[in-house]
Every structure is written in structure tokens, then in C-alpha cells.
Amino acid sequence: MSTTAGGSTQQESEEQGRRGAFSSRRVFILAAIGSAVGLGNIWRFPYVAYENGGGAFVVPYLVALLTAGIPFLLLDYAIGHRHRGSAPLSFARLRRGTEGLGWWQVGICFLIAIYYAAVIAWALRYTFFSLDEAWGDDPEGFFFGEFLQAGDIRVTADVVPGVLVPLLIVWLAVLAIMALGVQRGIGATSLIFIPVLVLAFTALVVRALFLPGAGEGLDALFTPDWSALGSASVWAAAFGQIFFSLSIGFGIMITYASYVGRREDMIGSGLVVGFSNSGFELLAGIGVFAALGFMAQAGGVGVSEVASDGIGLAFVAFPAIISEAPAGALIGVLFFGSLVIAGITSLVSVIEVVISAVRDKLDTGRLTATLGVVVPAAVLSLVLFSTTSGIYVLDVVDHFVNQYGILVVALISMLVVAWVLRALTGLGDHLNVHGRPRIGAGWRILTSLVAPAGLAVVLFFALRDDLRAPYEDYPDWLLLVFGWLLVVALPLVGFLLARLPWRAGTHLDGAPPGSDPAAPLHATEGGSR
Ligand code: PHE
């Protein structure tokens, strides 16, 4: 590959054509919002805020967003946008020896995809269950019993058809989106789905606000408990929520940013994505707590009795609300439909991290890489999660990957980039060429000190809790195999993969030829090569 300055423009557009690209900054922003807005916004944020000071949570939350979330998001953007590669390729271009960090992130994404798809499949099934309130008057018994057929905690091969079919549908949809490529697949999906999601969810919130008891729910969510600000665990919860919610530190934003034209403003984009994601969280908080207030009033109990998060909120509390409320089917379709859409746009972002890495490394075409990644992921997902033991494995993998997978790799990559490679100045300069508002020493301090410190505190609290008592009192072997072992294996596998050779002709050291951001951009979509 020639590296002359004159040839760089053409090389660049060739590379864009080969790897794929978003057709515009707007599409990239929608795709990034699609990744950030996921199940976490809808079923995690409202409860985290409620538990950690209610209205007062806004303080640590905003501090975490502004001092760690957005600065870290910009760091991810800078790495991918400057080095124009998947996570492993971008790290290899930063410094050859750090490629393993990228593969570690790829491993985490692969794992997340496998179980995230299962939750989307449940939500898909429940969208239809809402129509006739299939859960009857015992949503909890129905979910664990009739629907998941969860038995004793052991790994079984007993397939549950009610999960198998929607899970297959989810994977087929993912396969189709990924095969279509960056713009026609991910970009087009985001372009359609994000507006639909916002409309559907807003409709849900409006409906929920008119339910009797909604006011009490909102009071419960927003009444500030200022004393919470003195608690370190509340601050840790805020940082943890921000890191998870923005999808930062595990390869997604590096990958997406590598598909953006080099003359685009990545700083402004980061601000839009960060604030949109938080806006959606606020909307979700209002909708969820208005509905919970209704449920509390209908049951004659306090909101604290009905408030919950995660699986319990979506598959136990909401079905009860849907049964109780007038026009419940509408609420159900809007709620579960939103979960499906928010989930799919996040799922494709984690899968793209893997596909992009495989393509960069092995020089395969889009379709080959898509099949090579999605088919094994789908098979694993089906084997693990469409059986009667699925729920336990899912709960454990989810807990450990979130706590120790994402947070540890994010912390280590950030420290390496800031302190070992000392790359922040170069990366900040890169963003400043076309980005506004400009970033400088403040950003470097936030990314090298404040954000890592925030991450370390979150990790400390998580580790303390897990060492004090086994997570959810699950048996040791389950936690060991699907928790600790998996988390430790990922970096090892990552650094092994980094030893495989790159496809011939890959430019490795420093930014790729022609990555001068001032060069004109002719972004074209690679599609199926
Ligand atoms: N940001 C997503 C959310 O809030 C989290 C996520 C995205 C998790 C992609 C995994 C993969 O739900």
C-alpha cells in the first residue's frame, strides 16, 4: 500500500469502501444513540435513581455524566476515528502490543450478545402475550413456570419451545441487519427504529401519566433524599450507571467511530449522544414510576412495595400493571415493543464489534464474517438460553460480565492509553481538528484521573459485595464457571488472539495512511464485498 500523501485520499476512500461507513454524521449519531439506549435505560436507570437518593440522584448522575461519561465517550471516539479500525486494529495502531485489549473487548461483546438476545426474545414473546394477558393473574409464576420452565439450578438440555422460536427470530433479524452492512444494515435500522422508539415510548409515558396513582409514583421517584449525597455507594451507582448506559469502554464506540467520515465533528456528536441517552433515561424513569404508582395504588400498598428493576420489573411488575390498567394491551405492546427495539439496536452494536474485528484481521468479506460470527453466537445463545436452565446462567453471566468484564477492561484500556501510551494529547488534537467545542487539558485530566477513579470506586463496591456473599445465593459452581472463570478467561483469550497475524498489507503503526483529518472524504458503503 503506498503511503504517499497524494495517494492518501484515494486510499482512504478505498479503505472506507472496504470496511463500510455511515453515510452521514446524523446516521452515526442515531446508531450511537441506538447502542446507548438499551434495556439499561428502561429497566435499570429508574430503579437505580429511586434507590440512590431519588431526585437527589441527579447530582451524582450529572457529575458522572460530565466528568467521566462524556470524556470517556470522546476518548473512545478519538481512538476509533483517528485509527480507523475495529477495537483490535485501533489498539494495534496505537501501539502494537496493546492489540490484546481490543480482543478482550471483542470477547466481552460476543458474550453480551449471546444473552442480550435472549432477553430481547422474551420481550418479543411478551409483546404478543400482552394482547391477551397470557400470564393470567400470576405473572411471576407464569414467567418462571409456564414460560421459562425454570426448574432446579442445573444445566439441562431440555428445550423450551416458547423461548426457542422468538430467539431464532431475533437471531435471523440480526443476521439480516449485519449482512446488509454498516450503512444499509445498522445505519438504516437506526434511522427507522430510533424515531419509532422515541414515539412509542413517549406514547407509553403519556398513557402512564394518566393512570390513577401516577403522581404518587413520580413523588416516590423524584422526592430528593439529600443525605444520599454523602454515601459513596450512591456515587458509585451513578458512575456505574453512566458507564453501562453509554456503552463506553468495551469497543462499541471505537468501532462505530471508525465508520465516520474523518472531517466530521466528533465532539459535538458525543455531546448529542450523551445528552440524548440521559434524556431517554429520564423519560423512562417517568414512565416506569408513573406505572408503578398506579400499581401501588391499585394494590393499596406503597410504591416501595412494587418498585423493582430488571427482569422483575419487565416480566413480573409490568404484566401485573397491564392486567390491571384500562387499555392494558396498548401499554403492553408499547412497553415490550420498546424493549425489543431498544434491545435490537444495542445488540447489533455489540455484534458489529466482533464482525468488524474479524474482517479487519482476516480480510474477509462482509457476508463471510457475518456468518462466521452470527451463526456461532446464535447457536451458543440457543443452546444456553432456550433450555430450562437458561435464566440462571443468564443472570450470572450478566452480573459478572457487567461488573468485572466491562468495568475492568474499560479501566485498564483507559489507564493504558493515558499513562502507558501517553496518547491523550494526540487524540485530543485529532478531535479538535473538526470538533467543537474544543477540548484541552480539562479533558485530559478527566479522562486520565477522574474517570478511572470513578471506575475504580465502582469496581471496589462491586467486588466487596460479591466477596461478602455469593451473588443471589447461587451455588458456587455456577458462579465459578459462568462468573469468575469466564471473566478471567476473556483477557487471556484476547491476548492469544492478538498473536495471530494480520492480513497482508495491514498498516499497523500509528494512524493509517491518509488519516489526516483535513483530507477530503468520499465515504462509500462497503456493503457486501
Ligand atoms: N447501553 C446499553 C443499555 O443501556 C447497554 C448495552 C449496550 C449493553 C450494548 C450491552 C450492549 O442497555
Side-chain angles (χ1 to χ4, degrees), residues 88 187 232 259 281 329 376 391 490 504 513:
Y259 297 137
E281 294 203 312
I391 174 92
L490 284 174

Side-chain angles (χ1 to χ4, degrees), residues 122 156 384-395:
W122 301 344
T156 67
L384 281 173
F385 301 121
S386 64
T387 59
T388 52
S389 51
I391 174 92
Y392 309 115
V393 174
L394 187 140
D395 195 18

Side-chain angles (χ1 to χ4, degrees), residues 24-25 81 260-267 269 434-435 521:
S24 68
R25 183 168 86 113
H81 193 247
V260 182
R262 53 192 42 161
R263 306 181 105 195
E264 302 292 358
D265 172 359
M266 298 303 281
I267 301 177
S269 309
H434 292 290
L521 167 84

Side-chain angles (χ1 to χ4, degrees), residues 300-361:
V301 294
V303 175
S304 64
E305 306 265 314
V306 294
S308 61
D309 66 346
I311 291 171
L313 174 76
F315 298 103
V316 179
F318 257 88
I321 293 166
I322 291 160
S323 294
E324 198 74 42
L330 176 71
I331 296 181
V333 170
L334 291 175
F335 177 76
F336 288 111
S338 296
L339 278 183
V340 172
I341 296 180
I344 290 271
T345 50
S346 294
L347 179 60
V348 297
S349 73
V350 274
I351 291 275
E352 181 60 20
V353 172
V354 189
I355 292 182
S356 169
V358 168
R359 290 200 67 200
D360 281 347
K361 187 90 178 182

Side-chain angles (χ1 to χ4, degrees), residues 35-36 38-41 112 116 244-245 247 252 346 349-350:
S35 172
L39 303 176
N41 296 57
I112 292 178
Y116 213 75
F244 180 76
S245 184
S247 310
I252 298 178
S346 294
S349 73
V350 274

Side-chain angles (χ1 to χ4, degrees), residues 152-215:
D152 299 339
I153 302 185
R154 61 194 174 88
V155 178
T156 67
D158 306 335
V159 171
V160 183
V163 180
L164 181 83
V165 174
L167 191 51
L168 257 178
I169 295 174
V170 168
W171 280 110
L172 285 174
V174 169
L175 188 67
I177 296 172
M178 302 321 281
L180 282 169
V182 177
Q183 172 59 29
R184 286 188 302 143
I186 299 171
T189 305
S190 315
L191 215 51
I192 300 166
F193 272 8
I194 298 304
V196 171
L197 174 64
V198 172
L199 283 179
F201 206 84
T202 308
L204 174 70
V205 172
V206 171
R207 177 71 198 94
L209 283 174
F210 283 102
L211 290 171

